[in-house]
Amino acid sequence: MGSPPSEPERRPGEDQVEVTLTRGFWMGKYEVTQGQWKRVIGAFPGELSAGEGDNFPIYNVNFAEAEEFCRKLTENAHRSGELPNDWEFRLPTEAQWEYACRAGTTTATSFGDKLSSKQANFEGEPYNGAEEGPSLKRAAPVGSYPPNAWGLHDMHGNVFEWCRDWYHAKLPGGVDPDLYSANKSAQHNRTGSLSRVRRGGCWADKGWPCRSAFRLRFEPERRADHIGFRIVVVHRTIGGQ
């Protein structure tokens, strides 16, 4: 995980660490959509000011609301028999997210060391001299841009995605890192509060925050028009949860 010192626009907290993932997981091909939210939860928790429609990503959801979606989806899938009882839907760890975003690459993005706004939904300057494309200034329907090599869309841009880890000053290394409960070692904000991790960049950013290694904090009780989430399905023993 992380970025090499030579990567343009890298930020503090991206120093590379070695990670081993010992258990498989599945990740959603798309960010969770507004249509999926309506089917699982019902009413939207926040205003849909950056694009509305069943195929648009859900956004304006805080961390607890994203977790509740995962909990209820798991409950529904267990009840219907579509998901074994020892598996669950949840938010990805930071390590799972970056692994899936990279899709086997070691470059700054899954598309290489440049990122064009023809490849991802972001606003303003493309990354590292890439070709400029349209700037929507809003979210786009999921799947509007090319997928990475593993078939995952919008890992770069569109909306930021919640991860389950508490934000730490350094990336977690080691075997199956999961900082969901590690609030005691998490980095404090200026106000003394703690943040969860968000990943992937968004429609309101330039290209550089959409890099695979870029990580940013956000207080879990907050919501914004550029933050949504993507789900994974995992065996309950992962991370001891």
Short mmCIF file of all heavy atoms in Angstrom, two decimals, residues 1 19-28 87-104 148 150 152 155 161-165 171-172 174-180 197 199 212 230-241:
data_model
loop_
_atom_site.label_atom_id
_atom_site.label_comp_id
_atom_site.label_asym_id
_atom_site.label_seq_id
_atom_site.Cartn_x
_atom_site.Cartn_y
_atom_site.Cartn_z
N MET A 1 0.84 -1.20 0.00
CA MET A 1 0.00 0.00 0.00
C MET A 1 0.87 1.24 0.00
O MET A 1 2.00 1.22 0.46
CB MET A 1 -0.89 0.05 1.26
CG MET A 1 -1.93 -1.03 1.37
SD MET A 1 -2.81 -0.90 2.94
CE MET A 1 -3.74 0.62 2.71
N VAL A 19 1.67 -5.28 2.91
CA VAL A 19 0.42 -5.81 3.41
C VAL A 19 0.19 -7.19 2.80
O VAL A 19 0.46 -7.41 1.61
CB VAL A 19 -0.77 -4.89 3.04
CG1 VAL A 19 -2.09 -5.53 3.43
CG2 VAL A 19 -0.63 -3.54 3.71
N THR A 20 -0.28 -8.11 3.60
CA THR A 20 -0.68 -9.43 3.12
C THR A 20 -2.16 -9.63 3.42
O THR A 20 -2.58 -9.53 4.57
CB THR A 20 0.13 -10.55 3.80
OG1 THR A 20 1.52 -10.33 3.55
CG2 THR A 20 -0.27 -11.91 3.27
N LEU A 21 -2.94 -9.89 2.39
CA LEU A 21 -4.35 -10.22 2.55
C LEU A 21 -4.49 -11.73 2.40
O LEU A 21 -4.16 -12.28 1.35
CB LEU A 21 -5.21 -9.49 1.52
CG LEU A 21 -5.17 -7.97 1.56
CD1 LEU A 21 -6.03 -7.38 0.44
CD2 LEU A 21 -5.63 -7.45 2.91
N THR A 22 -4.95 -12.40 3.46
CA THR A 22 -4.97 -13.87 3.46
C THR A 22 -6.32 -14.45 3.10
O THR A 22 -6.43 -15.65 2.87
CB THR A 22 -4.56 -14.41 4.84
OG1 THR A 22 -5.56 -14.03 5.81
CG2 THR A 22 -3.21 -13.87 5.26
N ARG A 23 -7.35 -13.61 3.05
CA ARG A 23 -8.70 -14.11 2.77
C ARG A 23 -9.32 -13.34 1.61
O ARG A 23 -9.19 -12.12 1.52
CB ARG A 23 -9.60 -13.98 4.00
CG ARG A 23 -9.14 -14.84 5.17
CD ARG A 23 -10.05 -14.63 6.38
NE ARG A 23 -9.60 -15.41 7.52
CZ ARG A 23 -9.97 -16.65 7.77
NH1 ARG A 23 -10.78 -17.28 6.95
NH2 ARG A 23 -9.52 -17.29 8.84
N GLY A 24 -10.01 -14.08 0.76
CA GLY A 24 -10.66 -13.44 -0.37
C GLY A 24 -11.88 -12.62 0.04
O GLY A 24 -12.45 -12.81 1.11
N PHE A 25 -12.25 -11.69 -0.83
CA PHE A 25 -13.47 -10.91 -0.62
C PHE A 25 -13.99 -10.49 -1.98
O PHE A 25 -13.27 -10.49 -2.97
CB PHE A 25 -13.19 -9.68 0.26
CG PHE A 25 -12.22 -8.68 -0.33
CD1 PHE A 25 -12.68 -7.58 -1.05
CD2 PHE A 25 -10.85 -8.84 -0.18
CE1 PHE A 25 -11.80 -6.67 -1.61
CE2 PHE A 25 -9.96 -7.93 -0.72
CZ PHE A 25 -10.43 -6.84 -1.44
N TRP A 26 -15.25 -10.16 -2.03
CA TRP A 26 -15.85 -9.61 -3.24
C TRP A 26 -16.16 -8.14 -2.99
O TRP A 26 -16.54 -7.75 -1.89
CB TRP A 26 -17.15 -10.35 -3.59
CG TRP A 26 -16.94 -11.71 -4.18
CD1 TRP A 26 -16.85 -12.04 -5.50
CD2 TRP A 26 -16.81 -12.94 -3.46
NE1 TRP A 26 -16.67 -13.39 -5.65
CE2 TRP A 26 -16.65 -13.98 -4.42
CE3 TRP A 26 -16.82 -13.28 -2.10
CZ2 TRP A 26 -16.50 -15.30 -4.07
CZ3 TRP A 26 -16.66 -14.61 -1.75
CH2 TRP A 26 -16.51 -15.61 -2.72
N MET A 27 -16.00 -7.34 -4.03
CA MET A 27 -16.31 -5.91 -3.92
C MET A 27 -17.34 -5.52 -4.97
O MET A 27 -17.35 -6.07 -6.08
CB MET A 27 -15.05 -5.07 -4.10
CG MET A 27 -15.28 -3.57 -4.09
SD MET A 27 -13.76 -2.60 -4.09
CE MET A 27 -13.49 -2.45 -2.32
N GLY A 28 -18.20 -4.59 -4.62
CA GLY A 28 -19.21 -4.12 -5.55
C GLY A 28 -18.58 -3.55 -6.82
O GLY A 28 -17.62 -2.79 -6.76
N TRP A 87 -21.25 -15.07 6.29
CA TRP A 87 -20.75 -14.00 5.43
C TRP A 87 -21.58 -12.74 5.65
O TRP A 87 -22.73 -12.82 6.08
CB TRP A 87 -20.82 -14.41 3.95
CG TRP A 87 -19.80 -15.45 3.60
CD1 TRP A 87 -19.87 -16.79 3.86
CD2 TRP A 87 -18.56 -15.23 2.93
NE1 TRP A 87 -18.74 -17.42 3.40
CE2 TRP A 87 -17.92 -16.49 2.83
CE3 TRP A 87 -17.92 -14.11 2.41
CZ2 TRP A 87 -16.67 -16.65 2.22
CZ3 TRP A 87 -16.68 -14.26 1.81
CH2 TRP A 87 -16.08 -15.52 1.72
N GLU A 88 -20.97 -11.59 5.36
CA GLU A 88 -21.69 -10.33 5.56
C GLU A 88 -21.22 -9.27 4.57
O GLU A 88 -20.12 -9.33 4.04
CB GLU A 88 -21.47 -9.81 6.98
CG GLU A 88 -20.04 -9.39 7.29
CD GLU A 88 -19.87 -8.85 8.70
OE1 GLU A 88 -20.88 -8.49 9.33
OE2 GLU A 88 -18.71 -8.80 9.17
N PHE A 89 -22.10 -8.30 4.34
CA PHE A 89 -21.75 -7.10 3.59
C PHE A 89 -21.25 -6.06 4.58
O PHE A 89 -21.78 -5.92 5.68
CB PHE A 89 -22.97 -6.54 2.86
CG PHE A 89 -23.51 -7.44 1.79
CD1 PHE A 89 -24.63 -8.22 2.02
CD2 PHE A 89 -22.90 -7.51 0.54
CE1 PHE A 89 -25.14 -9.06 1.03
CE2 PHE A 89 -23.40 -8.34 -0.45
CZ PHE A 89 -24.52 -9.11 -0.21
N ARG A 90 -20.22 -5.32 4.19
CA ARG A 90 -19.74 -4.23 5.04
C ARG A 90 -18.90 -3.27 4.21
O ARG A 90 -18.68 -3.47 3.02
CB ARG A 90 -18.95 -4.78 6.22
CG ARG A 90 -17.60 -5.35 5.89
CD ARG A 90 -16.91 -5.87 7.14
NE ARG A 90 -15.52 -6.21 6.87
CZ ARG A 90 -14.74 -6.87 7.70
NH1 ARG A 90 -15.21 -7.30 8.85
NH2 ARG A 90 -13.48 -7.14 7.39
N LEU A 91 -18.41 -2.23 4.84
CA LEU A 91 -17.49 -1.31 4.19
C LEU A 91 -16.11 -1.96 4.11
O LEU A 91 -15.74 -2.73 5.00
CB LEU A 91 -17.41 0.00 4.97
CG LEU A 91 -18.71 0.79 5.11
CD1 LEU A 91 -18.49 2.02 5.99
CD2 LEU A 91 -19.23 1.21 3.73
N PRO A 92 -15.33 -1.65 3.08
CA PRO A 92 -14.00 -2.25 2.96
C PRO A 92 -13.01 -1.63 3.94
O PRO A 92 -13.14 -0.46 4.33
CB PRO A 92 -13.59 -1.93 1.53
CG PRO A 92 -14.33 -0.66 1.20
CD PRO A 92 -15.64 -0.76 1.94
N THR A 93 -12.03 -2.42 4.34
CA THR A 93 -10.88 -1.83 5.04
C THR A 93 -10.11 -0.98 4.04
O THR A 93 -10.27 -1.11 2.82
CB THR A 93 -9.94 -2.91 5.60
OG1 THR A 93 -9.36 -3.63 4.51
CG2 THR A 93 -10.68 -3.87 6.53
N GLU A 94 -9.25 -0.12 4.57
CA GLU A 94 -8.42 0.69 3.69
C GLU A 94 -7.53 -0.19 2.82
O GLU A 94 -7.32 0.09 1.63
CB GLU A 94 -7.59 1.66 4.53
CG GLU A 94 -7.04 2.82 3.76
CD GLU A 94 -6.34 3.86 4.61
OE1 GLU A 94 -6.28 3.70 5.85
OE2 GLU A 94 -5.83 4.82 4.03
N ALA A 95 -7.03 -1.28 3.37
CA ALA A 95 -6.17 -2.19 2.61
C ALA A 95 -6.96 -2.89 1.50
O ALA A 95 -6.48 -3.02 0.37
CB ALA A 95 -5.55 -3.22 3.55
N GLN A 96 -8.17 -3.35 1.81
CA GLN A 96 -9.00 -3.97 0.78
C GLN A 96 -9.33 -2.98 -0.33
O GLN A 96 -9.29 -3.33 -1.51
CB GLN A 96 -10.28 -4.51 1.41
CG GLN A 96 -10.08 -5.73 2.29
CD GLN A 96 -11.33 -6.08 3.08
OE1 GLN A 96 -12.17 -5.22 3.37
NE2 GLN A 96 -11.46 -7.34 3.44
N TRP A 97 -9.63 -1.76 0.07
CA TRP A 97 -10.00 -0.75 -0.93
C TRP A 97 -8.84 -0.49 -1.89
O TRP A 97 -9.02 -0.50 -3.10
CB TRP A 97 -10.44 0.55 -0.25
CG TRP A 97 -11.06 1.51 -1.21
CD1 TRP A 97 -12.40 1.67 -1.46
CD2 TRP A 97 -10.37 2.40 -2.12
NE1 TRP A 97 -12.58 2.60 -2.46
CE2 TRP A 97 -11.36 3.06 -2.88
CE3 TRP A 97 -9.04 2.69 -2.36
CZ2 TRP A 97 -11.05 4.01 -3.86
CZ3 TRP A 97 -8.72 3.62 -3.35
CH2 TRP A 97 -9.71 4.27 -4.08
N GLU A 98 -7.65 -0.25 -1.35
CA GLU A 98 -6.52 0.08 -2.24
C GLU A 98 -6.14 -1.12 -3.10
O GLU A 98 -5.81 -0.95 -4.28
CB GLU A 98 -5.32 0.57 -1.43
CG GLU A 98 -4.20 1.05 -2.34
CD GLU A 98 -3.06 1.75 -1.63
OE1 GLU A 98 -3.29 2.42 -0.60
OE2 GLU A 98 -1.91 1.64 -2.11
N TYR A 99 -6.20 -2.32 -2.55
CA TYR A 99 -5.91 -3.52 -3.32
C TYR A 99 -6.86 -3.62 -4.52
O TYR A 99 -6.44 -3.89 -5.66
CB TYR A 99 -6.04 -4.75 -2.43
CG TYR A 99 -5.82 -6.07 -3.11
CD1 TYR A 99 -4.54 -6.51 -3.44
CD2 TYR A 99 -6.89 -6.90 -3.41
CE1 TYR A 99 -4.34 -7.73 -4.07
CE2 TYR A 99 -6.70 -8.12 -4.03
CZ TYR A 99 -5.43 -8.54 -4.36
OH TYR A 99 -5.23 -9.75 -4.99
N ALA A 100 -8.14 -3.40 -4.27
CA ALA A 100 -9.13 -3.49 -5.35
C ALA A 100 -8.99 -2.35 -6.34
O ALA A 100 -9.17 -2.53 -7.55
CB ALA A 100 -10.54 -3.50 -4.74
N CYS A 101 -8.68 -1.16 -5.84
CA CYS A 101 -8.50 -0.01 -6.72
C CYS A 101 -7.33 -0.23 -7.67
O CYS A 101 -7.44 0.02 -8.87
CB CYS A 101 -8.26 1.25 -5.88
SG CYS A 101 -7.90 2.73 -6.86
N ARG A 102 -6.23 -0.73 -7.15
CA ARG A 102 -5.03 -0.91 -7.97
C ARG A 102 -5.22 -2.00 -9.03
O ARG A 102 -4.65 -1.94 -10.11
CB ARG A 102 -3.84 -1.24 -7.09
CG ARG A 102 -3.37 -0.05 -6.27
CD ARG A 102 -2.06 -0.34 -5.55
NE ARG A 102 -1.57 0.84 -4.85
CZ ARG A 102 -0.92 1.84 -5.43
NH1 ARG A 102 -0.67 1.80 -6.73
NH2 ARG A 102 -0.52 2.88 -4.73
N ALA A 103 -5.97 -3.03 -8.71
CA ALA A 103 -6.23 -4.12 -9.66
C ALA A 103 -4.94 -4.68 -10.26
O ALA A 103 -4.82 -4.90 -11.46
CB ALA A 103 -7.18 -3.66 -10.77
N GLY A 104 -3.95 -4.87 -9.38
CA GLY A 104 -2.69 -5.46 -9.82
C GLY A 104 -1.65 -4.47 -10.30
O GLY A 104 -0.54 -4.87 -10.65
N ASN A 148 -11.54 -0.49 -14.04
CA ASN A 148 -10.14 -0.92 -13.94
C ASN A 148 -10.02 -2.36 -14.46
O ASN A 148 -11.00 -2.94 -14.93
CB ASN A 148 -9.59 -0.74 -12.52
CG ASN A 148 -10.23 -1.68 -11.49
OD1 ASN A 148 -10.88 -2.67 -11.82
ND2 ASN A 148 -10.01 -1.39 -10.22
N TRP A 150 -9.94 -5.11 -13.12
CA TRP A 150 -10.76 -6.11 -12.44
C TRP A 150 -12.26 -5.82 -12.58
O TRP A 150 -13.07 -6.40 -11.87
CB TRP A 150 -10.36 -6.20 -10.96
CG TRP A 150 -9.00 -6.81 -10.79
CD1 TRP A 150 -8.24 -7.42 -11.73
CD2 TRP A 150 -8.25 -6.87 -9.57
NE1 TRP A 150 -7.06 -7.86 -11.19
CE2 TRP A 150 -7.03 -7.54 -9.88
CE3 TRP A 150 -8.48 -6.43 -8.27
CZ2 TRP A 150 -6.05 -7.77 -8.90
CZ3 TRP A 150 -7.51 -6.65 -7.31
CH2 TRP A 150 -6.31 -7.32 -7.62
N LEU A 152 -13.97 -3.00 -11.94
CA LEU A 152 -14.56 -2.10 -10.95
C LEU A 152 -14.59 -0.68 -11.51
O LEU A 152 -13.56 -0.15 -11.94
CB LEU A 152 -13.77 -2.13 -9.65
CG LEU A 152 -13.60 -3.51 -9.01
CD1 LEU A 152 -12.72 -3.41 -7.77
CD2 LEU A 152 -14.95 -4.12 -8.65
N MET A 155 -13.52 3.70 -9.19
CA MET A 155 -12.60 3.67 -8.05
C MET A 155 -11.82 4.98 -7.99
O MET A 155 -11.33 5.38 -6.93
CB MET A 155 -11.65 2.48 -8.14
CG MET A 155 -12.31 1.12 -8.11
SD MET A 155 -13.18 0.72 -6.58
CE MET A 155 -11.85 0.54 -5.40
N GLU A 161 -15.34 7.43 -1.17
CA GLU A 161 -15.94 6.21 -0.62
C GLU A 161 -15.44 5.99 0.81
O GLU A 161 -14.24 6.00 1.07
CB GLU A 161 -15.60 5.01 -1.51
CG GLU A 161 -16.13 5.20 -2.93
CD GLU A 161 -15.73 4.08 -3.88
OE1 GLU A 161 -15.25 3.03 -3.40
OE2 GLU A 161 -15.89 4.26 -5.10
N TRP A 162 -16.40 5.79 1.71
CA TRP A 162 -16.06 5.49 3.11
C TRP A 162 -15.31 4.16 3.19
O TRP A 162 -15.68 3.18 2.54
CB TRP A 162 -17.33 5.35 3.95
CG TRP A 162 -18.03 6.61 4.34
CD1 TRP A 162 -19.28 7.01 3.92
CD2 TRP A 162 -17.60 7.59 5.30
NE1 TRP A 162 -19.61 8.20 4.54
CE2 TRP A 162 -18.61 8.57 5.38
CE3 TRP A 162 -16.44 7.73 6.08
CZ2 TRP A 162 -18.51 9.69 6.22
CZ3 TRP A 162 -16.34 8.84 6.91
CH2 TRP A 162 -17.36 9.80 6.97
N CYS A 163 -14.28 4.11 4.01
CA CYS A 163 -13.65 2.86 4.44
C CYS A 163 -13.91 2.66 5.93
O CYS A 163 -14.19 3.62 6.65
CB CYS A 163 -12.14 2.88 4.18
SG CYS A 163 -11.69 2.89 2.44
N ARG A 164 -13.79 1.45 6.41
CA ARG A 164 -14.19 1.14 7.78
C ARG A 164 -13.14 1.51 8.82
O ARG A 164 -13.43 1.56 10.01
CB ARG A 164 -14.60 -0.32 7.91
CG ARG A 164 -13.51 -1.32 7.79
CD ARG A 164 -14.04 -2.75 7.77
NE ARG A 164 -13.77 -3.48 9.01
CZ ARG A 164 -14.72 -3.90 9.85
NH1 ARG A 164 -15.99 -3.64 9.60
NH2 ARG A 164 -14.41 -4.57 10.94
N ASP A 165 -11.91 1.81 8.39
CA ASP A 165 -10.83 2.09 9.34
C ASP A 165 -10.93 3.48 9.95
O ASP A 165 -11.34 4.44 9.28
CB ASP A 165 -9.48 2.00 8.62
CG ASP A 165 -9.16 0.61 8.10
OD1 ASP A 165 -10.05 -0.25 8.13
OD2 ASP A 165 -8.02 0.40 7.65
N LEU A 171 -0.11 4.44 7.10
CA LEU A 171 -0.87 3.32 6.57
C LEU A 171 -0.68 2.08 7.43
O LEU A 171 0.41 1.84 7.94
CB LEU A 171 -0.43 3.01 5.14
CG LEU A 171 -0.95 3.94 4.05
CD1 LEU A 171 -0.15 3.73 2.77
CD2 LEU A 171 -2.43 3.69 3.79
N PRO A 172 -1.73 1.27 7.57
CA PRO A 172 -1.59 0.02 8.33
C PRO A 172 -0.91 -1.04 7.48
O PRO A 172 -1.30 -1.29 6.34
CB PRO A 172 -3.03 -0.37 8.62
CG PRO A 172 -3.81 0.20 7.47
CD PRO A 172 -3.11 1.48 7.10
N GLY A 174 1.13 -5.12 7.54
CA GLY A 174 0.96 -6.42 8.18
C GLY A 174 -0.07 -7.29 7.50
O GLY A 174 -0.41 -7.11 6.33
N VAL A 175 -0.58 -8.25 8.26
CA VAL A 175 -1.50 -9.25 7.74
C VAL A 175 -2.94 -8.83 8.01
O VAL A 175 -3.32 -8.56 9.16
CB VAL A 175 -1.22 -10.63 8.38
CG1 VAL A 175 -2.22 -11.67 7.87
CG2 VAL A 175 0.20 -11.07 8.08
N ASP A 176 -3.73 -8.74 6.95
CA ASP A 176 -5.15 -8.39 7.04
C ASP A 176 -5.41 -7.19 7.96
O ASP A 176 -6.20 -7.27 8.91
CB ASP A 176 -5.96 -9.59 7.53
CG ASP A 176 -5.89 -10.77 6.58
OD1 ASP A 176 -5.89 -10.54 5.35
OD2 ASP A 176 -5.80 -11.92 7.06
N PRO A 177 -4.75 -6.05 7.72
CA PRO A 177 -4.94 -4.91 8.63
C PRO A 177 -6.39 -4.43 8.63
O PRO A 177 -7.00 -4.28 7.57
CB PRO A 177 -4.00 -3.85 8.06
CG PRO A 177 -3.81 -4.23 6.62
CD PRO A 177 -3.86 -5.72 6.59
N ASP A 178 -6.92 -4.22 9.81
CA ASP A 178 -8.31 -3.78 9.98
C ASP A 178 -8.34 -2.86 11.20
O ASP A 178 -8.21 -3.32 12.34
CB ASP A 178 -9.21 -5.00 10.19
CG ASP A 178 -10.69 -4.63 10.27
OD1 ASP A 178 -11.00 -3.44 10.45
OD2 ASP A 178 -11.53 -5.55 10.17
N LEU A 179 -8.49 -1.58 10.97
CA LEU A 179 -8.44 -0.59 12.05
C LEU A 179 -9.84 -0.08 12.41
O LEU A 179 -9.99 1.06 12.84
CB LEU A 179 -7.53 0.57 11.64
CG LEU A 179 -6.09 0.18 11.27
CD1 LEU A 179 -5.27 1.41 10.92
CD2 LEU A 179 -5.44 -0.62 12.39
N TYR A 180 -10.82 -0.93 12.25
CA TYR A 180 -12.21 -0.55 12.55
C TYR A 180 -12.38 -0.14 14.01
O TYR A 180 -13.11 0.81 14.32
CB TYR A 180 -13.14 -1.72 12.22
CG TYR A 180 -14.59 -1.44 12.51
CD1 TYR A 180 -15.32 -0.57 11.72
CD2 TYR A 180 -15.25 -2.09 13.57
CE1 TYR A 180 -16.66 -0.33 11.97
CE2 TYR A 180 -16.58 -1.84 13.83
CZ TYR A 180 -17.29 -0.97 13.02
OH TYR A 180 -18.62 -0.73 13.28
N VAL A 197 -11.64 6.89 7.37
CA VAL A 197 -10.92 7.08 6.11
C VAL A 197 -11.90 7.21 4.96
O VAL A 197 -12.92 6.52 4.91
CB VAL A 197 -9.98 5.90 5.84
CG1 VAL A 197 -9.32 6.03 4.47
CG2 VAL A 197 -8.91 5.80 6.93
N ARG A 199 -11.68 7.42 0.53
CA ARG A 199 -10.76 7.11 -0.55
C ARG A 199 -11.37 7.41 -1.92
O ARG A 199 -12.59 7.39 -2.08
CB ARG A 199 -10.40 5.63 -0.51
CG ARG A 199 -9.44 5.21 0.61
CD ARG A 199 -8.03 5.62 0.28
NE ARG A 199 -7.03 4.86 1.02
CZ ARG A 199 -5.92 4.36 0.49
NH1 ARG A 199 -5.66 4.50 -0.79
NH2 ARG A 199 -5.06 3.70 1.23
N SER A 212 -4.51 6.15 -6.58
CA SER A 212 -4.81 4.92 -5.83
C SER A 212 -4.39 5.02 -4.37
O SER A 212 -5.04 4.45 -3.49
CB SER A 212 -4.11 3.72 -6.48
OG SER A 212 -4.53 3.53 -7.80
N ARG A 230 -18.96 2.06 -1.20
CA ARG A 230 -18.99 0.82 -1.97
C ARG A 230 -18.91 -0.32 -0.97
O ARG A 230 -18.28 -0.18 0.07
CB ARG A 230 -17.80 0.80 -2.92
CG ARG A 230 -17.73 -0.37 -3.90
CD ARG A 230 -16.41 -0.33 -4.67
NE ARG A 230 -16.18 0.94 -5.33
CZ ARG A 230 -16.39 1.16 -6.63
NH1 ARG A 230 -16.82 0.18 -7.40
NH2 ARG A 230 -16.15 2.34 -7.16
N ILE A 231 -19.52 -1.44 -1.26
CA ILE A 231 -19.56 -2.52 -0.28
C ILE A 231 -18.67 -3.69 -0.70
O ILE A 231 -18.37 -3.88 -1.88
CB ILE A 231 -20.99 -3.03 -0.04
CG1 ILE A 231 -21.64 -3.52 -1.34
CG2 ILE A 231 -21.82 -1.95 0.63
CD1 ILE A 231 -22.99 -4.17 -1.14
N VAL A 232 -18.26 -4.45 0.30
CA VAL A 232 -17.60 -5.73 0.08
C VAL A 232 -18.42 -6.80 0.79
O VAL A 232 -19.22 -6.51 1.69
CB VAL A 232 -16.15 -5.74 0.62
CG1 VAL A 232 -15.27 -4.79 -0.17
CG2 VAL A 232 -16.09 -5.43 2.10
N VAL A 233 -18.24 -8.04 0.37
CA VAL A 233 -18.81 -9.17 1.08
C VAL A 233 -17.65 -10.03 1.57
O VAL A 233 -16.74 -10.35 0.80
CB VAL A 233 -19.82 -9.97 0.22
CG1 VAL A 233 -19.18 -10.54 -1.03
CG2 VAL A 233 -20.47 -11.07 1.04
N VAL A 234 -17.66 -10.32 2.86
CA VAL A 234 -16.52 -10.97 3.50
C VAL A 234 -17.00 -12.04 4.47
O VAL A 234 -18.15 -12.02 4.94
CB VAL A 234 -15.66 -9.96 4.29
CG1 VAL A 234 -15.07 -8.90 3.36
CG2 VAL A 234 -16.46 -9.30 5.41
N HIS A 235 -16.11 -12.97 4.79
CA HIS A 235 -16.37 -13.94 5.84
C HIS A 235 -16.26 -13.24 7.17
O HIS A 235 -15.38 -12.40 7.38
CB HIS A 235 -15.37 -15.10 5.74
CG HIS A 235 -15.77 -16.30 6.51
ND1 HIS A 235 -15.40 -16.51 7.81
CD2 HIS A 235 -16.54 -17.37 6.15
CE1 HIS A 235 -15.90 -17.66 8.23
NE2 HIS A 235 -16.60 -18.20 7.25
N ARG A 236 -17.11 -13.55 8.11
CA ARG A 236 -17.17 -12.82 9.38
C ARG A 236 -15.88 -12.91 10.20
O ARG A 236 -15.66 -12.10 11.07
CB ARG A 236 -18.33 -13.35 10.23
CG ARG A 236 -19.69 -12.90 9.77
CD ARG A 236 -20.75 -13.34 10.76
NE ARG A 236 -22.10 -13.05 10.33
CZ ARG A 236 -22.70 -11.89 10.52
NH1 ARG A 236 -22.07 -10.91 11.11
NH2 ARG A 236 -23.95 -11.71 10.11
N THR A 237 -15.03 -13.89 9.93
CA THR A 237 -13.82 -14.03 10.72
C THR A 237 -12.75 -13.01 10.32
O THR A 237 -11.77 -12.86 11.06
CB THR A 237 -13.22 -15.43 10.57
OG1 THR A 237 -12.94 -15.69 9.18
CG2 THR A 237 -14.17 -16.48 11.09
N ILE A 238 -12.91 -12.31 9.19
CA ILE A 238 -11.89 -11.35 8.77
C ILE A 238 -11.82 -10.22 9.79
O ILE A 238 -12.82 -9.62 10.16
CB ILE A 238 -12.22 -10.77 7.37
CG1 ILE A 238 -12.10 -11.87 6.31
CG2 ILE A 238 -11.28 -9.61 7.04
CD1 ILE A 238 -12.37 -11.40 4.92
N GLY A 239 -10.64 -9.95 10.27
CA GLY A 239 -10.43 -8.87 11.23
C GLY A 239 -11.04 -9.14 12.59
O GLY A 239 -11.14 -8.24 13.42
N GLY A 240 -11.48 -10.37 12.82
CA GLY A 240 -12.05 -10.69 14.12
C GLY A 240 -13.44 -10.15 14.34
O GLY A 240 -13.97 -10.20 15.44
N GLN A 241 -14.06 -9.62 13.28
CA GLN A 241 -15.40 -9.02 13.42
C GLN A 241 -16.47 -10.06 13.14
O GLN A 241 -16.33 -10.86 12.25
CB GLN A 241 -15.55 -7.82 12.48
CG GLN A 241 -14.53 -6.74 12.74
CD GLN A 241 -14.67 -6.09 14.10
OE1 GLN A 241 -15.79 -5.87 14.57
NE2 GLN A 241 -13.57 -5.81 14.75
#
